[in-house]
Amino acid sequence: MSNQTSFVLVHGDTAVTIDTLPAVKRQMHRLAKTFVLSQNVEVTPIELHALFLEHCALHDQSTALVVFDAFCQAYGVPAVDIHVVVQQHSIDETAARQVLKAYYLLWDVPAARHCYFGSDSAALPALFAPDNAHVAAMFGGQPGSSSYLDEARWLLDVYRPLLTDFVAH
């Protein structure tokens, strides 16, 4: 018999349900009291979940991990790539950016690795392995990109946890 309970986050007509333990539910309620979205803003469930994940990640990492696990379960990540999930939800560019940014916030947290690499592999991809190989990046060339600096700024904003070490080199 499970002692799980449901936390329901509601904004307008949109709701996200997260099954969790009673103690974590209480913490989610505390965090939800400081989670503010304008009533005039309409969001989809995936956006609401991502925005709450970001809020939790900034205030309580252990609760953020529970919200992150629920996000991954709700949207089938990592079995389905997060970029495919975003595309399937047909959200606008701003919302897609927010969802991706929230998803990658816990990149450096070992307890979150299973949602990035699956349960079979908890190791970082070779691209991020600490060896003597270095990666060079080229921005631009994609259709619709009128400014290389804007593109680089967008990538750093969304994928900051993945790119911080690379940019530091």
Side-chain angles (χ1 to χ4, degrees), residues 14-98:
T14 305
V16 172
T17 302
I18 299 171
D19 293 328
T20 189
L21 298 172
V24 178
K25 179 181 177 180
R26 285 189 293 277
Q27 183 58 21
M28 285 183 189
H29 275 291
R30 282 192 283 279
L31 288 166
K33 288 179 183 178
T34 59
F35 177 65
V36 180
L37 287 179
S38 170
Q39 288 298 333
N40 300 332
V41 175
E42 290 186 31
V43 293
T44 64
I46 193 170
E47 291 172 86
L48 183 60
H49 207 144
L51 290 165
F52 189 61
L53 170 58
E54 181 176 24
H55 180 73
C56 291
L58 295 172
H59 298 286
D60 182 348
Q61 189 178 80
S62 62
T63 302
L65 285 167
V66 174
V67 174
F68 184 60
D69 279 342
F71 180 92
C72 292
Q73 288 176 13
Y75 299 104
V77 179
V80 178
D81 183 80
I82 186 63
H83 300 89
V84 172
V85 171
V86 167
Q87 181 185 27
Q88 289 171 340
H89 281 80
S90 301
I91 53 180
D92 65 30
E93 184 179 340
T94 302
R97 180 179 189 165
Q98 186 63 50

Side-chain angles (χ1 to χ4, degrees), residues 100-168:
L100 291 170
K101 184 177 178 180
Y103 174 76
Y104 284 111
L105 274 174
L106 299 175
W107 175 262
D108 292 325
V109 180
R113 292 241 169 98
H114 67 281
C115 282
Y116 295 115
F117 309 118
S119 58
D120 296 337
S121 172
L124 289 172
L127 177 63
F128 299 107
D131 58 11
N132 292 330
H134 294 283
V135 178
M138 180 176 83
F139 297 98
Q142 294 83 4
S145 176
S146 59
S147 170
Y148 304 133
L149 289 178
D150 287 343
E151 183 179 349
R153 205 174 288 118
W154 188 93
L155 289 168
L156 187 58
D157 180 50
V158 171
Y159 299 104
R160 180 174 305 277
L162 285 74
L163 298 175
T164 302
D165 289 340
F166 174 71
V167 173

